[in-house]
Amino acid sequence: MIGKLKGLVDSFGDDWVLIDCGGVCYEVHCSTRTLQSLPRVGEATVVFIETILREDLIRLFGFASEAEKSWFLLLTTVQGVGARVALAILSVLSPSELSSAIALQDKAMVGRANGVGPKLAVRIVTELKGKVPAIGGIDAGTLGLQTALGEGVARSNVADAVSALTNLGYSSAQASAALARVVAKEGEDTATEKLIRLGLRELSQ
């Protein structure tokens, strides 16, 4: 099983790249984001690989990071999300943005991807709630919430709850981690007062 490819970029297609590994060229299908991050033709690169085997098909999918690969695998566990749709989602959302969307149950953000209608967006954020992969030892829900707060896109009730907890002496990281867990359980529409109360309960454990 191929886990990672190291080689030279040979050529690009609309959704694939050919990577020359010692004279053998592998066709690797990637998200638009990954393709844009790759170096120019003739330069060295490394991509993480997931292989999909079917009776009539062997296809390699490549990712710029392990986090992107983890999200691809997780997305394809959702009914209606195949490899093509998963790549479409990863083309418009980075791993941290996707973490934020799931942590905050942001259906509209996920729905920005081609092939993801309103019903599928709801299914994705619902089924993946509480299942986001850990990135570098940090819970991805926490990372996503921190990203949303930093970019000013977190819901006002969540941002107010984080502010209240930090005013009580907790660090921003502690408050974000606690509230990411609360939002994953209770939903993004939970009232600020309840978020604060449940956040304090999480912090006291």
Side-chain angles (χ1 to χ4, degrees):
M1 186 66 68
I2 300 172
K4 184 164 60 176
L5 288 178
K6 294 182 180 181
L8 302 178
V9 175
D10 180 86
S11 58
F12 290 99
D14 291 338
D15 65 349
W16 53 264
V17 60
L18 277 184
I19 299 178
D20 184 343
C21 300
V24 178
C25 286
Y26 294 89
E27 182 178 283
V28 182
H29 294 264
C30 306
S31 68
T32 301
R33 220 173 249 279
T34 289
L35 288 175
Q36 292 174 344
S37 74
L38 294 175
R40 293 175 295 182
V41 170
E43 295 185 354
T45 190
V46 176
V47 289
F48 296 90
I49 298 295
E50 177 64 21
T51 305
I52 291 185
L53 301 172
R54 295 176 184 165
E55 291 183 1
D56 59 343
L57 176 72
I58 300 176
R59 181 162 289 181
L60 302 181
F61 293 88
F63 310 94
S65 66
E66 290 184 280
E68 187 186 26
K69 178 179 176 180
S70 294
W71 268 114
F72 175 83
L73 295 173
L74 193 58
L75 285 166
T76 53
T77 65
V78 178
Q79 183 181 359
V81 179
R84 186 177 298 276
V85 172
L87 286 185
I89 294 171
L90 292 168
S91 291
V92 298
L93 297 175
S94 68
S96 63
E97 290 170 334
L98 192 47
S99 297
S100 177
I102 300 301
L104 301 177
Q105 296 288 280
D106 192 335
K107 302 173 286 294
M109 184 177 286
V110 176
R112 287 165 47 192
N114 289 333
V116 180
K119 290 183 179 179
L120 183 55
V122 170
R123 188 182 305 142
I124 291 169
V125 299
T126 300
E127 291 191 17
L128 298 186
K129 181 179 177 180
K131 297 181 181 179
V132 290
I135 301 173
I138 301 173
D139 177 80
T142 301
L143 179 61
L145 180 52
Q146 289 174 336
T147 301
L149 290 166
E151 296 179 354
V153 297
R155 286 210 170 194
S156 60
N157 57 328
V158 179
D160 289 345
V162 170
S163 178
L165 293 179
T166 55
N167 288 337
L168 290 173
Y170 295 100
S171 69
S172 177
Q174 289 174 317
S176 296
L179 288 172
R181 292 193 294 271
V182 172
V183 169
K185 296 174 186 175
E186 303 292 331
E188 61 180 347
D189 295 322
T190 305
T192 303
E193 294 78 9
K194 186 175 181 179
L195 286 174
I196 295 170
R197 185 175 70 254
L198 294 178
L200 286 170
R201 184 180 300 171
E202 289 284 342
L203 288 163
S204 68
Q205 294 180 358

